[in-house]
Amino acid sequence: MDELLPCPFCGSKDIRYSLKITGHFDVRYHASMYCNKCHCYGARTLTESVSHNDYKGRHYIEQDETIKQKAIERWNTRTQKERGGEK
């Protein structure tokens, strides 16, 4: 798993993973990383659609490391751009 870069706004290293639901009938999840200090969010990764009544859907999404990895990559890309291309 990639190392998380610090927050581009406050410099905090307390970065967390967020998974939020969207939609009523066509349920999808937004996965992203966020700073627990200043509460800024990275770019969101939209998951595939899951059935409205599929309670296993959220568990599957929470356990899917590829979705979390995409959120980390997006956080780190945004952080690099904010810091002038630093890697």
Side-chain angles (χ1 to χ4, degrees):
M1 187 172 293
D2 288 343
E3 178 182 339
L4 282 168
L5 296 177
C7 176
F9 300 107
C10 71
S12 174
K13 292 185 179 183
D14 188 7
I15 310 301
R16 309 269 174 107
Y17 179 61
S18 172
L19 188 63
K20 298 190 185 262
I21 192 168
T22 183
H24 296 285
F25 299 106
D26 185 25
V27 177
R28 295 175 187 257
Y29 292 91
H30 288 272
S32 62
M33 305 306 289
Y34 74 97
C35 175
N36 198 43
K37 183 177 178 185
C38 73
H39 308 288
C40 74
Y41 278 79
R44 294 188 173 140
T45 301
L46 185 64
T47 67
E48 72 273 4
S49 179
V50 294
S51 170
H52 178 67
N53 294 321
D54 185 5
Y55 295 106
K56 293 179 184 177
R58 182 175 176 95
H59 177 74
Y60 166 76
I61 299 298
E62 287 174 341
Q63 302 302 316
D64 189 344
E65 285 296 318
T66 59
I67 294 170
K68 187 173 183 178
Q69 184 63 32
K70 285 180 186 176
I72 290 171
E73 288 171 6
R74 291 178 138 205
W75 173 266
N76 286 343
T77 299
R78 180 177 151 238
T79 302
Q80 290 169 6
K81 288 179 183 175
E82 295 285 335
R83 293 178 180 261
E86 179 183 320
K87 292 185 179 183

